[in-house]
């Protein structure tokens, strides 16, 4: 019988003992079952000299499935690259909350066997594209799975900016920053800042001001087709940034315009059969179980 996945990539957090143990077990287990296994270069040396290694871009071109071992941060870093190649991605949780990582690290074999045999559910999560414009030209851009955040650099302080939705002025804002989040990111930074949880199937964005200097300003949900424009006041100090998933930082100067919109790229996330988003929320957030 032809395997649904032929080449499987292994990605993990470098120099983490627990991650290395799981990656080693996965590499041996998958190899014994006849899969071609490729290990990301940053962790391949810790698995031994004989493993096949590539960087993330090369893995995207060769792999049918990527298994990410770690927390959501590791998943986000891999997803921003792999989404452009339509590689299926599944996670083994070696982090803390792990909203995107389904498989347990110590007994992954049973669940993963079923996934590799075709028993899985596919979910597509859209990404964001963030661009910084200066004098009408793009100075930098990147993608985000969770959120794009306008904020001061290393020292927190109030900044001033205007917010436009599809070129319609919404409001001016004095705050410590602004979070523009996908439904995937609504359980991350946006949730900590007081935003609502958006179920993953929603085609929507949530804008969450960070510590606004008015009690009347609240998070707002807009259509995912909207283009968000943040215009930074010329009176701000320098050293502002737009952070994509907290990993990639785009420099911003006073007077710059930041455009944030839905990307054409989508993360192809797969889950074991029977995956239930509300079960994940109950488990990760400590919600109450059924009373009767």
């Amino acid at each position: 019988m032809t395997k649904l996945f032929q080449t499987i990539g292994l990605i993990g957090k470098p120099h983490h003992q627990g991650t290395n143990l799981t990656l080693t077990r996965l590499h041996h287990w998958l190899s014994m079952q006849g899969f071609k296994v490729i290990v990301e270069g940053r962790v391949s040396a810790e698995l031994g000299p004989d493993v096949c290694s590539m960087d993330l871009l090369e893995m995207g071109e060769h792999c049918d499935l990527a298994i990410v071992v770690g927390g959501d941060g590791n998943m986000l870093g891999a997803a921003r690259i792999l989404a452009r190649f339509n590689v299926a991605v599944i996670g083994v949780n070696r982090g803390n909350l792990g909203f995107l990582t389904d498989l347990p690290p110590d007994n992954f074999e049973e669940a993963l066997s079923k996934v590799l045999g075709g028993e899985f559910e596919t979910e597509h999560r859209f990404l964001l594209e963030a661009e910084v414009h200066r004098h009408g030209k793009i100075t930098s851009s990147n993608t985000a799975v969770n959120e794009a955040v306008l904020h001061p650099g290393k020292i927190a302080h109030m900044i001033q900016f205007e917010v436009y939705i599809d070129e319609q002025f919404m409001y001016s804002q004095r705050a410590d920053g602004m979070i523009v989040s996908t439904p995937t990111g609504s359980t991350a930074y946006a949730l900590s800042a007081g935003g609502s949880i958006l179920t993953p199937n929603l085609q929507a964005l949530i804008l969450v001001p960070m510590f606004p200097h008015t009690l009347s300003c609240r998070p707002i949900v807009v259509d995912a087709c909207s283009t968000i424009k943040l215009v930074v006041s010329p009176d701000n100090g320098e050293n502002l940034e737009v952070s994509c998933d907290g990993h990639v930082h785009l420099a911003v100067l006073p007077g710059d315009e930041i455009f944030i919109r839905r990307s054409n790229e989508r993360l192809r996330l797969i889950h074991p059969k029977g995956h239930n988003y509300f079960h994940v929320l109950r488990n990760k957030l400590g919600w109450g179980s059924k009373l009767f």
Side-chain angles (χ1 to χ4, degrees), residues 208-227:
V208 185
M210 299 166 59
F211 305 106
H213 287 234
T214 171
L215 296 178
S216 64
C217 192
R218 292 291 182 266
I220 182 170
V221 177
V222 300
D223 191 281
C225 293
S226 303
T227 296

Side-chain angles (χ1 to χ4, degrees), residues 33 105 171:
Q33 297 188 64
Y171 57 44

